[in-house]
Amino acid sequence: MDITAVKNFKDLNAALRLLFTLVSITDDGGRIRTNKADLSKHTGVCERTVKEHITTLCRCNIIKWKYGGAAFLNPDFLFKGKPEDKAEARKAYEAFKSDITA
């Protein structure tokens, strides 16, 4: 994780609270289906704040995000699936094109 992408640890701490929500809805392969409006409702923060947190998590290479609501959790950060499936998840993560650059 490249924490140099974060202005300060307070920003990272706030982004990690959103990450806990994302992890809870991640499937075993690391894929996430949601959008900023749903995340805003679930976390109780405004969509702009959700967007800022998503950008922080992308810049730290924890997730990749598409504006259409698809996301992918970096399997080297956290993987919920079977150990034998992790290599395939890594390939899928690398192939996933994020709309937010790291």
Side-chain angles (χ1 to χ4, degrees), residues 25-27 31-35 38 65-66 68-72 96:
I25 59 173
T26 300
D27 71 13
R31 292 170 297 276
I32 304 165
R33 290 279 180 199
T34 190
N35 58 51
D38 286 345
W65 181 271
K66 288 191 184 255
F72 214 110
F96 190 87

Side-chain angles (χ1 to χ4, degrees):
M1 175 171 68
D2 180 14
I3 62 170
T4 59
V6 181
K7 292 180 184 135
N8 60 54
F9 285 108
K10 183 179 177 185
D11 291 343
L12 180 60
N13 184 42
L16 288 175
R17 285 194 301 264
L18 177 69
L19 177 62
F20 295 139
T21 299
L22 293 172
V23 167
S24 74
I25 59 173
T26 300
D27 71 13
D28 286 348
R31 292 170 297 276
I32 304 165
R33 290 279 180 199
T34 190
N35 58 51
K36 287 181 282 212
D38 286 345
L39 289 171
S40 175
K41 289 176 192 172
H42 187 73
T43 59
V45 298
C46 70
E47 284 187 49
R48 180 177 177 205
T49 301
V50 168
K51 179 182 176 189
E52 290 170 2
H53 294 337
I54 288 169
T55 300
T56 298
L57 294 171
C58 287
R59 289 188 176 148
C60 291
N61 196 29
I62 295 172
I63 65 168
K64 289 185 177 181
W65 181 271
K66 288 191 184 255
Y67 291 123
F72 214 110
L73 181 65
N74 185 339
D76 290 325
F77 178 77
L78 179 92
F79 185 67
K80 294 169 73 174
K82 297 176 186 173
E84 60 268 19
D85 296 334
K86 190 171 183 176
E88 188 64 33
R90 272 193 196 110
K91 289 179 190 175
Y93 180 78
E94 291 302 320
F96 190 87
K97 301 297 180 201
S98 182
D99 292 332
I100 301 172
T101 57

